[in-house]
Amino acid sequence: LAKTTQPISMDSYEGQEVNITCSHNNIATNDYITWYQQFPSQGPRFIIQGYKTKVTNEVASLFIPADRKSSTLSLPRVSLSDTAVYYCLVGPPINDYKLSFGAGTTVTVRA
Amino acid sequence: EAGVTQFPSHSVIEKGQTVTLRCDPISGHDNLYWYRRVMGKEIKFLLHFVKESKQDESGMPNNRFLAERTGGTYSTLKVQPAELEDSGVYFCASSQDSRIGEQYFGPGTRLTVT
């Protein structure tokens, strides 16, 4: 799996937009980018996945530039309940079941 | 639909004892995975079942760990004998297929070996 680099922590306030950038310079042609969220005392939870350009769902948006060497997870109008660790994972979408979690980014949302 | 459940939520045992962790995947999910986070480190893959067969157990740390999935439903992970370095959180996940991004995790079992 491609190595990923993301900030260790980020602070924000309620109502703001949070953008977490993940670097993955050695991403392979068939790799997808996946983000997981983990709340304290819970298991990781899938948020979003994309291959290129932009993907949006009810939780977040994922922006992937043309060179795909980085990606940005965007959390719109965060609330206190969005305080969690966010993981960026890169790997092929099929037949690669070994999810490889890095240290993740701890996002702390304050009132 | 019920999610992935794990039992117990927390287990405290002494070094040398045996502990068995249980995971019930989402109904209908053929794929079941075990992961763990030890000593505040990153979450690491342990093994993968497809139905009752072990697809990949390359992440199992040593032969003190034994995972089973009889009948292709729930799975157990036994640690015997437990060592101090086994302390951590053990997560189970399941999926309908093996595509990355579609694994559903349980809340984890926190194992403390004293």
Side-chain angles (χ1 to χ4, degrees):
Chain A
L1 294 176
K3 178 178 171 56
T4 61
T5 301
Q6 53 184 121
I8 295 297
S9 63
M10 297 181 70
D11 289 340
S12 183
Y13 290 93
E14 285 188 292
Q16 291 187 333
E17 179 182 79
V18 172
N19 296 306
I20 309 170
T21 296
C22 177
S23 297
H24 27 80
N25 292 318
N26 59 341
I27 188 170
T29 302
N30 60 341
D31 283 347
Y32 275 64
I33 300 154
T34 307
W35 285 80
Y36 272 78
Q37 172 191 58
Q38 185 179 25
F39 297 115
S41 301
Q42 294 187 27
R45 182 177 75 107
F46 170 82
I47 300 178
I48 197 167
Q49 183 182 72
Y51 183 80
K52 62 180 179 181
T53 62
K54 176 183 175 181
V55 180
T56 297
N57 61 23
E58 65 278 4
V59 177
S61 294
L62 179 60
F63 298 91
I64 306 168
D67 66 6
R68 305 199 328 121
K69 293 185 181 301
S70 67
S71 58
T72 298
L73 176 72
S74 180
L75 307 173
R77 300 171 58 81
V78 294
S79 63
L80 296 177
S81 63
D82 291 316
T83 293
V85 180
Y86 293 82
Y87 299 95
C88 169
L89 290 78
V90 173
I94 298 176
N95 296 326
D96 194 333
Y97 42 84
K98 296 180 183 179
L99 295 185
S100 180
F101 292 88
T105 298
T106 299
V107 173
T108 303
V109 181
R110 308 180 192 281
Chain B
E1 177 183 283
V4 176
T5 58
Q6 294 187 243
F7 182 83
S9 58
H10 193 183
S11 179
V12 181
I13 61 173
E14 293 183 352
K15 175 182 174 182
Q17 291 186 323
T18 298
V19 64
T20 299
L21 313 181
R22 172 171 170 144
C23 168
D24 285 80
I26 293 173
S27 178
H29 282 190
D30 289 338
N31 294 277
L32 187 149
Y33 318 82
W34 285 97
Y35 294 83
R36 74 171 182 174
R37 186 209 306 270
V38 297
M39 302 296 288
K41 296 184 178 178
E42 299 168 1
I43 299 172
K44 295 293 186 184
F45 166 84
L46 293 178
L47 86 159
H48 169 214
F49 283 100
V50 177
K51 297 184 180 180
E52 67 275 10
S53 300
K54 292 177 184 176
Q55 188 76 10
D56 183 348
E57 53 184 329
S58 61
M60 296 288 264
N62 51 61
N63 59 11
R64 295 186 294 104
F65 290 76
L66 175 64
E68 295 180 324
R69 191 182 183 194
T70 306
T73 55
Y74 71 91
S75 174
T76 58
L77 179 64
K78 180 189 292 187
V79 185
Q80 178 182 30
E83 298 290 344
L84 298 179
E85 62 265 26
D86 299 332
S87 295
V89 182
Y90 290 76
F91 294 103
C92 174
S94 72
S95 71
Q96 285 186 310
D97 58 45
S98 296
R99 284 180 290 177
I100 188 172
E102 295 190 5
Q103 294 185 24
Y104 298 84
F105 282 76
T109 292
R110 180 171 296 278
L111 174 64
T112 303
V113 182
T114 63

